[in-house]
Amino acid sequence: MSRRQNWLVLVAAVLITALPLWLVSAPADGPDGRPGEVFGGADAKAQQAIGEIAPDYKPWFAPILEPASGEIASLLFALQAAIGAGLIGYWLGASVTRDKLRKQAERDKAGAASDPAPEGRAPPPC
Amino acid sequence: MHIMEGFLPVEHAVGWTLVSAPFVVWSVRAVRSRLDEYPEQRMLLGVAAAFALVLSALKLPSVTGSCSHPTGIGLGALLFGPAAMVLVGLVVLVFQALLLAHGGLTTLGANVFSMAIVGSFVAAAVFRASRAFRFSLAVSVFLAACLGDLATYVTTSVQLAWAFPDPAGGFVASLAKFAGIFALTQIPLAITEGLLTVLVVNALIRFNADEMKSLPLFLARGARA
């Protein structure tokens, strides 16, 4: 795919992610007067649905370690993303540089072939 | 798609663990023999794992008004085949279960099944089918990653509906409810994952053409199309 197509793909991915923020409005306030919540986690919603289907169900195991607060949880999620993004960034940087060096070497070789006796490159006399 | 800790009845939790365990053993062996044979692929496997790590940390908003996250499993499943990604998915899920209380140890078997096993097998199968239909490489990669992601969330819905059938409507009513929460929310996210996977594959083809030649699924039919 061309470079332009790649950019279009990236823009599309950003738009699909960002547009719901405008398209979806917060639901009406709950009966208890608390503002309606929007963009909650689907996992939590499923947990709610389980509560509706099987009100008697009790989770029989609790997480061993729970993040102390929402802040700590976001710290750990950010850490997870940073590790991943760091590795991808390293790979991309290494790959681009390797590609560049390889092309440079090919160009040098081609230049050397067309000019068999480059000046100043004679071996030093022993 | 993470079923929360303790939210599967004991027999379901044990059952899914038993189903997933042989796949994990198979995957460990496959990864070991692959890296023995092609040590230079270590970096690419790392990239595939990193992609899954990033994407499953990103909780994205969806048009349904709730948030969920992509899985990032498709990329690795295309590069290395499903065998490698079962292990990678397991590592990501254990990280989240232990440190983030996201998912859990008792539900690990079920979550590995939906994300790492179903997700990667569907992605690989869709990719093969798309190439057989002579779709372009970009379209095939997009469909594979997108449908693999979606299949994971459909599987989660089935797992929950099976464990918690609706008292009135039974399994079907329950499935409709969980699919409404998971699968519907996931559609735009799956499209995003498909697009991002296409970008990474484009970068791979441009910069790592040599390594790609020794990958199993990929380039079997020629990458440049």
Side-chain angles (χ1 to χ4, degrees):
Chain A
M1 289 195 342
S2 70
R3 180 168 292 211
R4 215 181 80 137
Q5 281 171 315
N6 277 326
W7 277 109
L8 285 178
V9 167
L10 188 63
V11 169
V14 171
L15 280 183
I16 292 174
T17 307
L19 280 181
L21 296 173
W22 279 276
L23 293 177
V24 181
S25 51
D29 291 359
D32 47 1
R34 276 189 298 185
E37 198 196 358
V38 72
F39 295 124
D43 290 344
K45 276 200 178 159
Q47 202 175 343
Q48 260 176 22
I50 293 174
E52 286 162 24
I53 293 171
D56 298 333
Y57 183 79
K58 291 247 170 0
W60 54 281
F61 201 84
I64 299 169
L65 252 182
E66 208 152 350
S69 71
E71 308 297 311
I72 306 291
S74 70
L75 163 71
L76 290 169
F77 272 110
L79 191 66
Q80 183 188 338
I83 294 170
L87 225 155
I88 293 178
Y90 170 79
W91 161 73
L92 202 58
S95 302
V96 170
T97 309
R98 196 181 56 173
D99 192 55
K100 214 179 263 174
L101 290 176
R102 196 184 288 152
K103 279 189 185 138
Q104 181 77 42
E106 273 166 20
R107 222 175 297 138
D108 285 356
K109 212 191 263 171
S114 63
D115 183 13
E119 281 174 43
R121 287 225 194 132
C126 320
Chain B
M1 45 56 64
H2 296 72
I3 301 177
M4 304 253 199
E5 184 77 286
F7 267 87
L8 273 184
V10 182
E11 53 271 33
H12 284 257
V14 173
W16 286 117
T17 306
L18 291 180
V19 170
S20 297
F23 285 95
V24 172
V25 174
W26 169 64
S27 177
V28 171
R29 286 198 184 152
V31 169
R32 195 177 292 156
S33 68
R34 171 152 278 277
L35 288 185
D36 280 348
E37 196 176 345
Y38 304 102
E40 73 278 7
Q41 284 180 6
R42 196 161 297 184
M43 188 67 208
L44 280 190
L45 187 64
V47 169
F51 191 70
L53 213 55
V54 176
L55 260 62
S56 61
L58 297 179
K59 297 188 179 178
L60 306 175
S62 169
V63 282
T64 55
S66 47
C67 282
S68 189
H69 58 84
T71 64
I73 289 290
L75 174 70
L78 296 189
L79 296 178
F80 294 98
M85 287 321 274
V86 176
L87 181 63
V88 169
L90 176 75
V91 170
V92 173
L93 286 168
V94 167
F95 177 88
Q96 295 188 324
L98 287 181
L99 293 178
L100 294 160
H102 193 57
L105 294 178
T106 61
T107 52
L108 189 62
N111 289 335
V112 165
F113 187 80
S114 65
M115 179 166 128
I117 298 174
V118 172
S120 51
F121 273 96
V122 168
V126 169
F127 183 73
R128 284 209 171 151
S130 309
R131 294 303 277 166
F133 280 120
R134 305 196 170 277
F135 288 166
S136 76
L137 183 74
V139 171
S140 305
V141 168
F142 171 77
L143 286 176
C146 182
L147 294 179
D149 179 307
L150 208 55
T152 293
Y153 281 78
V154 171
T155 307
T156 305
S157 308
V158 170
Q159 288 170 327
L160 283 174
W162 190 9
F164 299 100
D166 195 83
F171 173 79
V172 177
S174 198
L175 178 60
K177 191 166 204 170
F178 287 115
I181 294 170
F182 280 123
L184 216 58
T185 301
Q186 198 64 21
I187 291 171
L189 274 60
I191 295 173
T192 307
E193 169 161 0
L195 295 175
L196 292 177
T197 308
V198 169
L199 287 180
V200 175
V201 168
N202 283 343
L204 280 166
I205 292 173
R206 186 156 163 217
F207 298 118
N208 293 59
D210 290 343
E211 284 97 326
M212 301 277 283
K213 278 180 192 137
S214 53
L215 295 174
L217 258 185
F218 230 77
L219 299 209
R221 270 169 236 272
R224 294 191 184 266

